[in-house]
Amino acid sequence: KNILKIRNLVKQYDNSQNVILKGIDLDLNEEDFLCILGPSGCGKSTMIRCIAGFEGYEGTIEVSGEKVTKPGPDRIMVFQDFNQLFPWKTVLGNITYPLKVGGMKDKEERKKRAEKYLDKVNLLQYKDYYPHQLSGGMKQRVAIAKGLALGSKIILMDEPFASLDAMTRNKMQSELLHIKEKEKMTVIFITHNIQEAISLGNKIMVMSKNGTIKEKMDNPISKPV
Ligand code: ADP
Ligand code: ADP
C-alpha cells in the first residue's frame, strides 16, 4: 500500500539562484526501506527535509494521501549528531513530553505509552537516565521510540551511522532492521556507503549531481517486503 507519493518535486532555497531538486518523482509502499545514494551536495538532505516538512517546496509530496505542509507526527527524522533529545529531561520525559504537547491529557497513559515503546527499543531499564548518560546509539533509539509513540510510520534518517566505527555501525544496522521489521515502519535512509545501502534497503535510489534521479532500483539481494 502506497505511503509516500512525490511528483515533480522542485526545490530552490530562497537565498540562492540554484535549483537544488529538479523534478523528483518517487513512490514508496508501506514497509519499504529506501536507501538514497549520490554525490555530496546533490540534494539528498534537502529532499528528506522536504519530506519531513522542514522546507517549503514546489510539486507534490503526499504521505498517506495527505499533502505535506509542515512537520507531523506521522514522520520522524532521526539525526546523525544524536542531539535530538531534551538534555534536561529523562529518557521517559523525552517521550511523555511530546505526547503531552500532542494532546494526550492523562499522565498515567502518557507514561504507559512511553514505557511500551521504550521496551520495544530495549531501553526500558534506562527510562530514568538523562540523555548524556546514554551512548549515541541509545539516544537514536530513544528518538525512534519517541517517533513510534507519536504514531510515526515513516522514519527519515540522514547518514545516521556515518561517524560510527564499523562494529558499532553493524550493531546499529541490525538494531534498526529489527525495530523496522517489528514495527512495520517505512524507512528513508541517506548514506554514502554503497555496502550499507545494499545491506539495508529493499529499494535504492541514486541521485545525480544536478538534482535529478539517476537511477531507481529494487535491491535484488534484499528479501521482499
Ligand atoms: P546532500 O545531502 O546530497 O549532500 P544537500 O541537500 O545538503 O545535499 O545540499 C544540496 C545543495 O543545497 C548544496 O549545494 C547546498 O549548498 C545547498 N543548500 C543546502 N541547504 C541550504 C540552505 N539552507 N540554503 C541554501 N542552500 C542550501
Ligand atoms: P509532567 O506532567 O509532570 O510535566 P511529563 O508527563 O511531561 O510530566 O513527564 C513525565 C516524566 O518525565 C517525569 O516523571 C520525569 O521523570 C520526566 N521529566 C519531565 N520533565 C522533566 C524535567 N524538566 N527534568 C527531568 N525530568 C523530567
Side-chain angles (χ1 to χ4, degrees):
K1 188 163 164 259
N2 179 282
I3 188 164
L4 176 72
K5 180 173 141 183
I6 299 180
R7 292 292 178 275
N8 197 25
L9 170 62
V10 172
K11 173 65 183 173
Q12 177 170 22
Y13 288 103
D14 293 338
N15 58 359
S16 150
Q17 302 286 15
N18 300 336
V19 182
I20 309 298
L21 302 173
K22 300 187 184 120
I24 303 287
D25 293 323
L26 179 68
D27 285 287
L28 287 185
N29 293 327
E30 284 174 356
E31 296 186 56
D32 272 341
F33 194 131
L34 173 74
C35 287
I36 304 179
L37 291 161
S40 200
C42 71
K44 303 181 295 297
S45 295
T46 299
M47 181 176 141
I48 72 167
R49 291 174 53 79
C50 288
I51 299 170
F54 298 155
E55 301 285 349
Y57 61 87
E58 289 162 59
T60 304
I61 303 178
E62 284 176 9
V63 171
S64 305
E66 274 195 47
K67 191 166 161 64
V68 169
T69 56
K70 57 179 188 324
D74 53 347
R75 288 151 280 143
I76 175 137
M77 185 122 171
V78 175
F79 297 95
Q80 178 187 339
D81 64 11
F82 310 122
N83 292 319
Q84 48 203 316
L85 304 174
F86 298 118
W88 60 87
K89 283 193 189 291
T90 62
V91 164
L92 190 73
N94 264 282
I95 302 180
T96 55
Y97 178 69
L99 289 173
K100 186 175 176 175
V101 173
M104 192 179 272
K105 294 212 162 54
D106 186 279
K107 186 169 174 151
E108 217 27 57
E109 194 186 340
R110 290 199 296 271
K111 189 161 169 253
K112 265 218 182 101
R113 188 168 175 87
E115 285 175 350
K116 174 175 154 190
Y117 286 99
L118 281 173
D119 195 25
K120 285 178 190 282
V121 298
N122 280 326
L123 287 177
L124 188 53
Q125 66 272 41
Y126 294 93
K127 69 186 165 88
D128 296 323
Y129 282 55
Y130 285 86
H132 74 268
Q133 298 173 299
L134 306 181
S135 71
M138 289 159 90
K139 281 185 265 192
Q140 281 191 337
R141 269 147 63 201
V142 175
I144 292 171
K146 178 171 83 178
L148 290 169
L150 285 165
S152 300
K153 285 282 165 208
I154 301 185
I155 171 167
L156 304 163
M157 305 182 98
D158 191 348
E159 302 204 49
F161 308 149
S163 61
L164 303 177
D165 63 88
M167 280 252 281
T168 313
R169 186 187 308 132
N170 269 327
K171 189 162 155 248
M172 295 286 299
Q173 286 172 346
S174 37
E175 277 171 6
L176 174 63
L177 282 177
H178 185 71
I179 297 170
K180 185 223 168 254
E181 292 298 316
K182 207 162 64 169
E183 297 306 312
K184 306 189 182 309
M185 300 195 77
T186 307
V187 182
I188 303 180
F189 189 103
I190 296 176
T191 176
H192 267 109
N193 185 326
I194 293 174
Q195 276 320 111
E196 186 168 62
I198 291 171
S199 65
L200 291 177
N202 70 310
K203 291 187 176 167
I204 296 174
M205 173 173 130
V206 185
M207 288 177 68
S208 320
K209 233 198 190 93
N210 68 359
T212 58
I213 295 178
K214 186 173 179 189
E215 218 177 331
K216 268 188 281 195
M217 57 203 136
D218 292 325
N219 182 356
I221 66 167
S222 78
K223 63 186 172 80
V225 287

